[in-house]
């Protein structure tokens, strides 16, 4: 609740600056930051137009109870807190552009968190992007980082800067290389 009020105040402050595109405010984060991004795009709407949420918690009932209950008590002791802290409680406010990323074997924030958000977005015909990283846990494996970095860059160029990403150049095979049959 208070984080979204704070983030909304920051977005409103930014919108009052002459050098800020008022219709293009973005937010990004991974893990808890991904949760904050999803909440900003739902509970905090319409302050943010675009967001990238990576490996995000979307419902604290799906996360590690030792960590969660330290701050929120149990779901039976704090049902309203768990309800208000769940992305799906606020998802009908969603608009804008969202990119969700998640590792398929994340054993910290289970992929079920992202899948339930994706399920709602699909069933309500909402626009979003999804990138799954096969065999990645809660951080992408080193071989996937260049792709993740490029995809993130391209998302922001398309959404915040309104630019089209040029297609990757087609590289000619090395001299003397045989073409596949």
């Amino acid at each position: 609740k208070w984080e979204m009020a704070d983030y909304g105040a920051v977005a409103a402050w930014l919108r009052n600056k002459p050098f800020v595109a008022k219709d293009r405010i973005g937010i990004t984060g991974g893990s808890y930051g991904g949760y904050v991004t999803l909440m900003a795009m739902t509970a905090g709407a319409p302050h943010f137009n675009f967001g990238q949420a990576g490996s995000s918690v979307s419902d604290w009932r799906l996360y590690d109870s030792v960590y969660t209950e330290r701050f929120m008590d149990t779901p039976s002791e704090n049902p309203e807190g768990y309800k208000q802290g769940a992305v799906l409680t606020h998802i009908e406010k969603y608009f804008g552009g969202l990119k969700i990323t998640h590792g398929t074997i994340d054993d910290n924030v289970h992929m079920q968190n992202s899948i339930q958000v994706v399920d709602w977005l699909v069933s309500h015909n909402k626009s979003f992007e999804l990138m799954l990283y096969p065999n990645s846990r809660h951080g992408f494996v080193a071989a996937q980082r260049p792709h993740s970095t490029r995809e993130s860059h391209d998302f922001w160029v398309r959404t915040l800067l309104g630019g089209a990403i040029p297609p990757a150049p087609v590289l000619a095979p090395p001299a003397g290389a045989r073409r596949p049959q």
Side-chain angles (χ1 to χ4, degrees):
K1 175 181 177 178
W2 300 116
E3 284 179 321
M4 287 308 103
D6 289 347
Y7 280 99
V10 168
W13 180 84
L14 284 170
R15 278 193 168 84
N16 286 323
K17 301 300 174 199
F19 52 85
V20 173
K22 293 161 184 34
D23 62 337
R24 288 178 273 162
I25 304 289
I27 185 169
T28 187
S31 194
Y32 186 79
Y35 165 73
V36 170
T37 298
L38 290 177
M39 289 297 282
M41 297 292 293
T42 58
H47 295 292
F48 297 91
N49 310 92
F50 303 100
Q52 281 192 84
S55 306
S56 310
V57 173
S58 63
D59 187 330
W60 291 104
R61 293 171 300 169
L62 302 175
Y63 192 64
D64 179 6
S65 60
V66 172
Y67 174 85
T68 303
E69 291 173 8
R70 182 180 323 151
F71 300 101
M72 296 183 66
D73 297 321
T74 66
S76 62
E77 294 168 324
N78 184 12
E80 191 61 22
Y82 279 83
K83 178 182 176 187
Q84 292 305 312
V87 172
L88 291 182
T89 298
H90 311 281
I91 200 162
E92 292 200 9
K93 297 177 186 175
Y94 168 76
F95 78 98
L98 175 64
K99 181 172 190 143
I100 298 170
T101 61
H102 215 116
T104 60
I105 60 171
D106 189 333
D107 56 352
N108 183 1
V109 177
H110 296 236
M111 206 167 82
Q112 178 182 2
N113 283 274
S114 289
I115 296 299
Q116 71 177 7
V117 173
V118 166
D119 183 49
W120 190 93
L121 294 169
V122 168
S123 66
H124 289 82
N125 198 25
K126 300 294 182 179
S127 180
F128 71 100
E129 297 178 25
L130 174 66
M131 183 65 224
L132 300 178
Y133 285 93
N135 299 316
S136 278
R137 295 191 185 280
H138 197 57
F140 304 135
V141 296
Q144 295 167 334
R145 285 191 195 110
H147 182 268
S148 172
T149 300
R150 191 199 70 230
E151 286 287 311
S152 177
H153 169 269
D154 292 356
F155 175 81
W156 292 122
V157 168
R158 279 191 320 275
T159 58
L160 295 183
L161 301 177
I165 305 301
V170 177
L171 301 176
R178 294 178 52 179
R179 292 192 181 268
Q181 301 298 323

